[in-house]
Amino acid sequence: MTAPPGTGTGTGTGTPPPLAGGATGPAALRPLIDTVLDALRDGARDRGGPLPAGGPEAQTARVRAALGDVLPAHGTGDHEALRTLVHTLAAGAADPADPLCAAHLHCPPLAVAAAADLAASALNPSLDSWDQAPAASAVEALLTQALAAEFYDTPHADALVTTGGTEANQLALLLARERHGPALTVLHGANAHHSIPRAAWLLGLRPATELPTPAGILDPARLAEALAATPGPTLVTATAGTTDAGLIDPLHRIADLCDRHGADLHIDAAYGGLLALSPRHRDKLAGLGRARSLTIDLHKLGWQPVAAGLLAVPDRALLAPLAHQADYLNATDDTEAGLPDLLGRSLRTTRRPDALKIATTLRSLGRDGLARLIDRTCELAHELAVLLDAHPGFELHSAPTITTVLFRPTHADDDQLATLRRTLLHEGRAVLGRTHADGRLWLKATLLNPHTTAGDMDTLIALLEGSTHR
């Protein structure tokens, strides 16, 4: 007897399990999606908070018990497998859709973006050759040109889709190395993302030079001294949205120094770059368009499922060093006949059509809708900072620049603060980050959930206040 669509036989005999694509794919997916959605709902209810209680050992034991034999002799069928594993994943998630899950630059994805991502998975185009992704490659090309034009007022601005800031930063350093050779020196502030010095190491460059940032941002005076003392080609990397406090380097002044000394400028705007879409906040990014390359992440202030990054450049000719030829993917005669050459759009070969979820979100919300989300989350951070600053039990580090708020209980030392954070994690009550600033340890709340309410912030403060009084 043939199993109905979507059930799976689990035996390896009879009719092969249904596929996600093709004319019959949607019918096979529909009942499976219902099972997934039910499991997501039930798992979230069982979790009952921003993350599971019990800590790593307890969670590993729960997963081990649910998973059982990872490769059983006989399958359990599609619905049972989905119910079990999706439920286990949801019950054991650190869920950024919970207002008390606010540790990292880890956004809750929009439903429309996740739905578009399902279509991408079902159709499974791979953007390493046009004959694997005819429509997806066109979507990506149009999207990257449109987004690059948001940052550069140049006729041939373009961007590459990346897995995030780390890959984009590595590509930026690679392109700079190809422009200037292996004698390139990379200068960055101590506030820079860890992927900058790591990329220099991966690319065989001399160790990147780190400049102190005692105020949290790159000091133009220190940079001027470093540039004057650095012979040969130089790449300066600045940051628009640091991971510890969301601070933005003085971009215009840094760009002036780079022009004066003949240095290239790369700006890591993975966190703050999309402020450019908000009329209220784009002035914070003054000077952004002067960079030779930009890192932008849409799985931060763009509310996309991971992964959704960009490397933007003012002229697509700057991407020429990435050109690569593999006859089975971009044969010369095919390219000459007009088939798009996609291999030079990434260092990866097989890659997903992440542009689809981004393009769907942009079409759904429009410029004004995205601006409202950005403004809303920035407002939330300001509101939390005001509450903490007025509370005698907490010390606020400074007013937030983007959506990151640093604070600490007034009467806790660094060891007590670290213990408090781990206790909240172990109990499944809140997910907060930590960072050092001004020689002390601070709690970090990164607000990226536009559904957070004033009541949620009151709950967080009450939870922390109660925990410090135990």
Side-chain angles (χ1 to χ4, degrees), residues 327 330-339:
D327 195 59
N330 60 345
T332 302
D333 59 316
D334 278 348
T335 302
E336 291 174 350
L339 295 185

Side-chain angles (χ1 to χ4, degrees), residues 32-371:
L32 297 178
I33 291 171
D34 286 341
T35 297
V36 166
L37 296 178
D38 288 346
L40 286 171
R41 178 201 60 210
D42 295 344
R45 286 177 178 171
D46 288 352
R47 185 180 66 244
L51 79 166
E57 290 185 5
Q59 185 56 30
T60 299
R62 293 185 192 114
V63 171
R64 183 179 291 114
L67 194 55
D69 188 350
V70 176
L71 183 59
H74 302 288
T76 61
D78 296 348
H79 289 279
E80 190 284 331
L82 286 168
R83 275 194 302 269
T84 299
L85 293 188
V86 175
H87 182 280
T88 300
L89 185 69
D95 187 356
D98 189 296
L100 299 187
C101 186
H104 302 287
L105 288 165
H106 177 201
C107 73
L110 295 170
V112 67
D117 221 20
L118 169 64
S121 294
L123 293 169
N124 209 29
S126 179
L127 278 92
D128 48 313
S129 66
W130 182 86
D131 58 356
Q132 298 176 82
S137 60
V139 169
E140 180 180 271
L142 294 169
L143 174 80
T144 52
Q145 292 167 26
L147 286 177
E150 294 294 324
F151 307 106
Y152 290 112
D153 185 17
T154 53
H156 303 296
D158 202 357
L160 303 177
V161 176
T162 71
T163 54
T166 294
E167 183 187 349
N169 287 337
Q170 290 174 355
L171 284 171
L173 266 67
L174 172 62
L175 293 172
R177 187 194 69 180
E178 295 306 290
R179 288 194 298 272
H180 299 292
L184 179 72
T185 296
V186 178
L187 299 178
H188 67 88
N191 64 345
H193 193 262
H194 62 84
S195 62
I196 296 293
R198 193 180 191 200
W201 166 68
L202 284 169
L203 293 167
L205 299 171
R206 64 187 68 181
T209 300
E210 179 180 296
L211 305 180
T213 54
I217 57 174
L218 189 55
D219 179 8
R222 288 182 185 268
L223 177 60
E225 293 174 359
L227 284 168
T230 303
T234 305
L235 175 70
V236 173
T237 69
T239 307
T242 59
T243 54
D244 56 355
L247 302 180
I248 297 174
D249 288 337
L251 303 180
H252 262 315
R253 295 173 66 191
I254 291 170
D256 287 343
L257 287 170
C258 289
D259 289 347
R260 191 176 309 154
H261 290 272
D264 284 359
L265 174 62
H266 169 67
I267 298 177
D268 179 358
Y271 181 8
L274 287 187
L275 294 177
L277 299 180
S278 165
R280 188 181 304 178
H281 294 286
R282 66 167 59 111
D283 287 349
K284 296 176 181 178
L285 299 177
L288 192 72
R290 298 178 64 184
R292 185 66 71 99
S293 54
L294 292 173
T295 289
I296 307 290
D297 267 4
L298 288 102
H299 53 239
K300 294 180 172 64
L301 273 181
W303 295 279
Q304 297 299 296
V306 172
L310 292 177
L311 177 72
V313 293
D315 192 315
R316 67 175 61 98
L318 291 168
L319 303 175
L322 299 179
H324 183 65
Q325 208 272 326
D327 195 59
Y328 77 104
L329 294 173
N330 60 345
T332 302
D333 59 316
D334 278 348
T335 302
E336 291 174 350
L339 295 185
D341 179 356
L342 305 182
L343 274 188
R345 304 292 298 176
S346 178
L347 291 181
R348 293 171 286 146
T349 303
T350 302
R351 57 190 182 91
R352 299 182 77 250
D354 289 315
L356 176 65
K357 61 194 175 191
I358 302 171
T360 303
T361 301
L362 298 183
R363 182 178 178 87
S364 170
L365 298 184
R367 185 186 302 274
D368 58 345
L370 275 170

Side-chain angles (χ1 to χ4, degrees), residues 423-434:
T423 298
L424 293 172
L425 288 174
H426 194 275
E427 294 176 350
R429 303 173 76 190
V431 188
L432 294 171
R434 52 178 283 173

